[in-house]
Amino acid sequence: MSTDTAAQAPAPHKEAHARNWKGLGWGFIVKLLLMMVVNAFGVAAIMSAWNARAWVILGVLVLFLVAADWVYFSRRLLPLKYVYPGLVFLLIFQVFAMGYTAYVATTNYGAGHNGSKQQAVDAALIQAEREVSGSATYPLAVVRDGETLGFAIGDDGAVMVGTEDQPLEETGGTLDDSGRPTAVDGWEIVPRGDLLSDQALAKQVTDLRVPVSDDANEGSLRTREGSTAKIYRSSMVWDPDADTLTDTDSGVVYSPNDRGTFVGDDGSSLPTGWYVSVGFENFTKAVTDPNYAKPLLRITAWTFAFAFLTVATSFLLGLFFALIFNDDRVRGQKTLRTLFILPYTFISFLTALVWRGMLNAEFGIINDWFFFGADIDWLGDPWLARLSVIMVNLWLGYPYWFLICTGALQSLSSETLEAAKIDGAGRWRQFRSITFPLLLVSTAPLAIASFAFNFNNFNIIFMLTDGGPNFDDTSIPLGATDLLITAIYQISGVQGGRADYGLASALSIVVFVVVGIVSALAFRQTKKLEEI
Amino acid sequence: MRNTIGKVAVVATSVALLAACSSGTTEETTSPEASASETAAAGIDATGLSLTVWVDENRQPAVEAAAASFEEETGATVELVQKNFDDLRSDFLSQVPTGEGPDITIGAHDWLGAFVTDGVVNTVDLGANASSFSQVAVDAVTYDGQIYGMPYSTEAIALIQNTDLVGEDAPATWDDMIQAGLDSGADRPFCINTAGETGDGYTMYPLQTSFGAPVFVQEGGSYTSEVGMGGEAGEAFAQWLSDNGEKGEGYLSTTIDYATNNELFNSGKCAYTIQGPWALGDFADVNFKVNPVPSAGGETAAPFVGVQTFYVSSQSENALLANEFLTNYIATPEAMQALYDADPRLPAYEGVDTSSAAFPEAIEGFQASADQGVPMPSIPEMGSVWDYWNAAESKIIKGADPVKTWNKMITDLTAALEG
């Protein structure tokens, strides 16, 4: 590939690669092959998006693919060649996810407001259409006359036929042994094979209702699988022009309100709604509703405490061991270091579950081995549970810091320390004034990242205590070890099928802002460290 | 129940996923094997149409068998997508409205209320064999007078006793059981899973109903959204929990979770326990018998009966094909037998031969327990109950003031349901 910068560079003894370039070299072929693969996958993805009628995704895919080809086959966009893949991932996984969360936070998306308005209408119509009690099951043949579809049934040896507009009436024809019409005068029977193989026709048939008589209250024939029919009666009528649903039995007219619910003129409402924008309501609910605000405040305080204590304790313990094992007088350094890193290699949520068992008041080995079999209720007492969470997380977290600090210690220049020694500084003074500050330069950003991670450490809480023990004095089931993220999960109700994604998204954004601010402030502090 | 073993399941599946990364296919498509002559004979050629069915790991082989004959006769493809049972509900709720959902999913009947409220299920017709379905199963999939699912199995917890310790006779009351357990010399007369500190209202429910404190008030067979476990009956149950809890007799303890409970019973340290058919695999080392749960409060101890069912999506593009599949290929004795053989829970269909199960006698015991059970409420409000209910029971067992804790739970729960 040619580059402008290389071309402008002063010619060294050897010729620059760019000047050396004589047409399509290996690099170009490799690039071509790679881009062929990218294009192949891209086109395949575009085609499946086309099939799924996902126009937005299709548009984005086309855009990304065209941009990719342009970036990599143009000679001028060198920086973009490096940045582009990262940029695509950033857009998809960060910007889109954040934007979508922000969008959901302004809606009432959740249980009862789960789909579009049309789907809510569909649901209301489904729920209102009931089988007429005592309806027989009629053997059915679907018939057609040109474009008009109809149902023909055998009823007590007679052939009855009807269409959407024409109620059932007796007509000439023949029935087979099971009572199913095999020939209907003036109508052509649609073979069952056609019904099952033609999706559009099948939909027409399942949507078709043939009135039993002129009296609409007697109901109409309906088929589900195309070979039998039963009499159903719907009590709900949808008027698309007036945008209302009318209950024909009670006469109540349901019209849509701005909360995504059909409300009747008698004040009742239909169970199925659709999701609509509710502005900032979810945000205000989280801070003003006393049921949420009070426990959430306590949970926020604990979340900060947990994240800070976890980072502080595991950092200090890791540093302590790193200092000890960095001393050349320790024998078997490598083996010991490997052993120390072990907890770091376990899967954290499995570890948490194992600890849950070990901390069991009655059967756990912690009490049996270390506390003479006393029934210390590690996970049942609020403060002990908090202590347990921090201790378990310490066990999980310190190997990481041991690793980081060992690396950082080994990269410190021995000259500085020697100079300090010559100046007469003791061990403690050396550590306090030289080693520790220099260590902080490289570890502080990691500590901030670790803080942000532990702020949202869902696994350990969910698996170890499930947020419990619950508060006694709040009216929503949140507990003493709940972090904001587990509280959000609890409030979102995904587990119980009573989801409130809108509120959960709003809370997630609040947490994001909090973590962002804390991190930004902390990073600003670390700049000062670098001036040492 | 799923709440109880949810975490075990999460871990188990994660481990299984990790272990089986190489062999694990999340999506399995069974290719149509219909030859031209066969489809011509049936006169149906739905080649090119595809029915998507969500199943869990246990049910996949059975549905696959039913799908094979369907594919052979119609030429349509049945695409089985295997999912974690616990994910089916939330995935169905979130994906049907986007049009990405399946045509059919299996599921538990107590999800129905949420499905109806969110408009994601269609009604079904049980077809020509409707009378072969057990009444309790049909009632369970009926919501507001309409049938929304095709049931295929039921399940309920029951009393499991160690026959070497306490014989085969079913104890008549809680006190009889405890006495027999104490006489047997076992470490503990009785063990029950409380899901650790979390609490487990599901497993405790037969004992609660024996005090006449149902979770929701029932009217003419279906549940209302009025909380039914308050008042004197509820307080009596709370008091009983406390009396037998950690500060009382100690028969109930929050140190016992699902795995601990099963291990204690399997090692002969418990004479009695309450568990469901899914736990039998854990009891390989003891001789046991399954009986109905004895009454603690005087009334019948009625466990929750859960029903497993097929649901049809309200947004299915292939509604006709989906109904054809269910009524003519699933609601048949052969398919129901295959479903039972694949996952031996109590069949919801008459005439299924239950002797193929690993523990045929145990199935009878669970059936006896289910016969005195009540359907698990399928109203959407039930989803809000668990957290409050489990936590209150856990606290009372740990020694909190029973009546006060119980009544606060009722107040908070009622407020949450109204809000």
Side-chain angles (χ1 to χ4, degrees):
Chain A
M1 270 174 282
S2 85
T3 61
D4 297 337
T5 45
Q8 284 160 10
H13 295 299
K14 274 186 161 183
E15 224 178 353
H17 287 297
R19 286 174 186 268
N20 202 14
W21 187 61
K22 308 237 171 24
L24 308 179
W26 279 109
F28 182 80
I29 292 171
V30 168
K31 179 171 84 170
L32 196 66
L33 286 173
L34 281 175
M35 288 311 291
M36 278 163 74
V37 173
V38 169
N39 275 297
F41 275 109
V43 170
I46 287 168
M47 274 158 60
S48 51
W50 176 275
N51 286 339
R53 297 184 178 77
W55 305 127
V56 177
I57 293 176
L58 185 129
V60 172
L61 281 172
V62 169
L63 209 69
F64 279 157
L65 193 62
V66 170
D69 283 322
W70 180 55
V71 165
Y72 288 103
F73 288 109
S74 157
R75 294 203 175 162
R76 282 175 305 175
L77 301 163
L78 185 67
L80 257 184
K81 287 185 170 73
Y82 291 98
V83 174
Y84 185 73
L87 213 57
V88 169
F89 279 100
L90 181 78
L91 282 173
I92 295 174
F93 293 112
Q94 307 284 328
V95 176
F96 170 75
M98 267 157 51
Y100 195 71
T101 309
Y103 161 70
V104 172
T106 62
T107 68
N108 60 356
Y109 181 42
H113 300 275
N114 197 38
S116 66
K117 185 173 170 190
Q118 186 53 48
Q119 285 164 352
V121 172
D122 289 349
L125 294 176
I126 286 173
Q127 286 157 23
E129 184 170 22
R130 285 154 194 280
E131 193 180 315
V132 171
S133 64
S135 160
T137 303
Y138 299 99
L140 168 87
V142 177
V143 293
R144 129 163 84 198
D145 181 17
E147 287 296 296
T148 317
L149 275 180
F151 286 161
I153 57 167
D155 186 11
D156 273 343
V159 177
M160 310 278 281
V161 72
T163 66
E164 192 175 3
D165 311 313
Q166 181 66 47
L168 278 186
E169 56 183 14
E170 194 170 342
T171 180
T174 52
L175 301 174
D176 65 8
D177 294 341
S178 64
R180 177 165 293 117
T182 48
V184 184
D185 295 353
W187 294 85
E188 174 202 348
I189 289 186
V190 181
R192 213 168 128 60
D194 290 4
L195 274 187
L196 291 172
S197 56
D198 185 342
Q199 202 180 39
L201 180 67
K203 187 140 181 53
Q204 269 181 296
V205 169
T206 44
D207 286 346
L208 181 62
R209 301 288 183 270
V210 174
V212 179
S213 70
D214 287 329
D215 181 3
N217 280 329
E218 285 190 24
S220 44
L221 281 179
R222 163 191 186 178
T223 184
R224 291 176 190 276
E225 85 293 359
S227 58
T228 58
K230 280 186 173 178
I231 301 172
Y232 284 77
R233 197 177 149 272
S234 178
S235 58
M236 199 65 88
V237 178
W238 166 238
D239 183 347
D241 298 327
D243 207 17
T244 56
L245 282 161
T246 307
D247 186 335
T248 50
D249 285 348
S250 63
V252 176
V253 179
Y254 295 91
S255 38
N257 69 2
D258 59 358
R259 307 284 313 173
T261 307
F262 278 108
V263 182
D265 43 21
D266 63 343
S268 63
S269 60
L270 296 179
T272 311
W274 60 100
Y275 62 87
V276 293
S277 170
V278 293
F280 287 97
E281 192 176 288
N282 287 319
F283 292 93
T284 47
K285 186 178 179 186
V287 288
T288 54
D289 186 331
N291 280 338
Y292 289 110
K294 211 176 102 190
L296 280 181
L297 207 62
R298 284 159 71 175
I299 286 167
T300 310
W302 159 243
T303 307
F304 272 104
F306 167 78
F308 177 76
L309 285 172
T310 290
V311 176
T313 52
S314 51
F315 174 74
L316 289 177
L317 191 67
L319 175 63
F320 176 70
F321 284 127
L323 284 169
I324 290 176
F325 287 95
N326 204 37
D327 195 309
D328 295 333
R329 282 170 292 180
V330 176
R331 278 195 242 165
Q333 253 181 338
K334 278 187 182 160
T335 321
L336 286 170
R337 274 182 185 155
T338 313
L339 286 176
F340 264 108
I341 294 164
L342 268 185
Y344 186 47
T345 59
F346 295 150
I347 302 164
S348 72
F349 69 82
L350 275 181
T351 315
L353 267 190
V354 171
W355 274 97
R356 186 182 174 134
M358 295 204 295
L359 288 166
N360 187 307
E362 189 177 356
F363 306 102
I365 58 167
I366 300 286
N367 279 342
D368 283 356
W369 288 4
F370 303 110
F371 296 93
F372 310 104
D375 281 355
I376 301 171
D377 199 0
W378 291 106
L379 302 177
D381 178 83
W383 288 105
L384 280 178
R386 288 178 180 137
L387 180 71
S388 304
V389 167
I390 289 178
M391 293 307 284
V392 171
N393 222 11
L394 170 64
W395 187 81
L396 273 170
Y398 84 85
Y400 171 75
W401 288 110
F402 174 72
L403 206 65
I404 300 288
C405 291
T406 303
L409 282 175
Q410 286 173 351
S411 67
L412 291 187
S413 78
S414 51
E415 287 137 35
T416 334
L417 282 174
E418 226 157 274
K421 226 182 259 176
I422 290 165
D423 283 350
R427 280 185 165 274
W428 171 243
R429 186 63 203 268
Q430 282 175 37
F431 172 77
R432 202 168 53 100
S433 306
I434 312 277
T435 314
F436 191 64
L438 285 176
L439 209 61
L440 274 187
V441 175
S442 54
T443 53
L446 294 170
I448 296 166
S450 178
F451 178 88
F453 172 80
N454 280 298
F455 202 87
N456 287 330
N457 197 338
F458 183 87
N459 282 352
I460 181 106
I461 302 297
F462 188 69
M463 288 296 168
L464 190 63
T465 63
D466 203 5
N470 277 20
F471 292 132
D472 287 323
D473 50 353
T474 60
S475 51
I476 49 174
L478 295 172
T481 56
D482 261 319
L483 298 180
L484 279 171
I485 190 76
T486 56
I488 291 169
Y489 181 74
Q490 184 79 25
I491 291 168
S492 79
V494 179
Q495 224 178 2
R498 295 262 281 173
D500 190 344
Y501 296 113
L503 182 63
S505 299
L507 288 169
S508 309
I509 290 173
V510 172
V511 171
F512 168 75
V513 170
V514 170
V515 174
I517 291 174
V518 170
S519 301
L521 289 176
F523 272 119
R524 186 171 285 188
Q525 290 296 316
T526 60
K527 285 233 174 89
K528 290 182 190 160
L529 288 173
E530 285 167 18
E531 288 158 12
I532 295 172
Chain B
M1 133 207 56
R2 277 164 292 280
N3 286 4
T4 322
I5 55 175
K7 267 173 209 159
V8 179
V10 167
V11 173
T13 26
S14 312
V15 172
L17 272 178
L18 286 171
C21 259
S22 53
S23 64
T25 42
T26 47
E27 213 169 288
E28 201 156 306
T29 313
T30 331
S31 59
E33 285 159 4
S35 68
S37 63
E38 274 166 327
T39 48
I44 296 172
D45 184 12
T47 312
L49 288 186
S50 169
L51 206 57
T52 308
V53 183
W54 283 0
V55 288
D56 72 339
E57 189 186 9
N58 291 339
R59 255 59 61 128
Q60 170 145 7
V63 180
E64 216 161 55
S69 62
F70 175 72
E71 290 182 328
E72 203 168 286
E73 287 171 31
T74 63
T77 313
V78 177
E79 195 180 320
L80 294 181
V81 179
Q82 189 189 314
K83 283 177 174 271
N84 212 343
F85 191 84
D86 294 295
D87 294 337
L88 287 170
R89 163 162 62 181
S90 51
D91 287 0
F92 193 72
L93 276 172
S94 58
Q95 293 191 20
V96 166
T98 65
E100 300 293 313
D103 297 299
I104 296 173
T105 183
I106 63 156
H109 87 273
D110 54 300
W111 306 348
L112 180 54
F115 281 3
V116 172
T117 323
D118 284 341
V120 294
V121 273
N122 208 331
T123 50
V124 299
D125 190 81
L126 296 179
N129 297 331
S131 55
S132 298
F133 288 95
S134 76
Q135 194 54 44
V136 62
V138 176
D139 285 349
V141 295
T142 303
Y143 192 86
D144 197 16
Q146 301 235 68
I147 298 175
Y148 284 92
M150 177 163 289
Y152 63 88
S153 78
T154 63
E155 63 192 14
I157 50 173
L159 183 76
I160 303 179
Q161 58 192 64
N162 184 325
T163 49
D164 294 332
L165 292 171
V166 291
E168 297 206 339
D169 295 338
T173 65
W174 167 266
D175 294 334
D176 288 355
M177 180 189 77
I178 292 295
Q179 195 54 51
L182 290 172
D183 293 346
S184 75
D187 276 8
R188 293 159 175 268
F190 172 77
C191 290
I192 190 165
N193 162 34
T194 64
E197 310 283 340
T198 311
D200 186 0
Y202 175 82
T203 309
M204 211 65 85
Y205 195 62
L207 297 167
Q208 179 176 332
T209 47
S210 77
F211 285 87
V215 60
F216 284 112
V217 176
Q218 259 182 308
E219 247 171 43
S222 58
Y223 287 93
T224 65
S225 58
E226 187 189 336
V227 179
M229 49 187 171
E232 274 178 34
E235 288 172 7
F237 171 65
Q239 188 60 51
W240 177 87
L241 278 179
S242 181
D243 293 343
N244 290 285
E246 291 172 21
K247 299 272 163 71
E249 303 286 348
Y251 303 136
L252 315 174
S253 165
T254 57
T255 57
I256 298 183
D257 58 18
Y258 181 80
T260 313
N261 179 70
N262 293 357
E263 198 192 307
L264 286 171
F265 186 79
N266 192 37
S267 57
K269 287 183 179 149
C270 287
Y272 295 93
T273 189
I274 293 179
Q275 264 305 350
W278 50 85
L280 293 186
D282 291 350
F283 303 149
D285 300 341
V286 286
N287 297 313
F288 60 85
K289 183 163 190 306
V290 181
N291 281 315
V293 178
S295 170
E299 297 185 28
T300 309
F304 277 139
V305 178
V307 174
Q308 316 281 320
T309 172
F310 288 91
Y311 291 114
V312 178
S313 159
S314 62
Q315 301 296 323
S316 169
E317 295 285 332
N318 303 305
L320 193 107
L321 209 56
N323 279 293
E324 167 75 14
F325 177 62
L326 286 186
T327 41
N328 294 334
Y329 293 86
I330 292 289
T332 63
E334 299 79 31
M336 286 292 171
Q337 184 70 49
L339 281 164
Y340 177 81
D341 294 342
D343 182 30
R345 302 199 176 193
L346 311 175
Y349 194 81
E350 270 173 29
V352 171
D353 174 18
T354 54
S355 63
S356 70
F359 307 98
E361 281 171 19
I363 295 294
E364 282 170 30
F366 285 116
Q367 188 66 61
S369 180
D371 287 344
Q372 65 183 48
V374 289
M376 176 122 79
S378 61
I379 53 175
E381 284 82 358
M382 190 63 202
S384 303
V385 173
W386 299 107
D387 284 329
Y388 293 93
W389 189 28
N390 291 342
E393 287 193 355
S394 170
K395 274 184 198 162
I396 293 171
I397 293 172
K398 289 182 81 71
D401 183 326
V403 172
K404 218 175 95 188
T405 310
W406 191 261
N407 285 335
K408 179 172 184 310
M409 181 269 287
I410 303 287
T411 316
D412 290 344
L413 175 60
T414 311
L417 292 181
E418 282 166 0

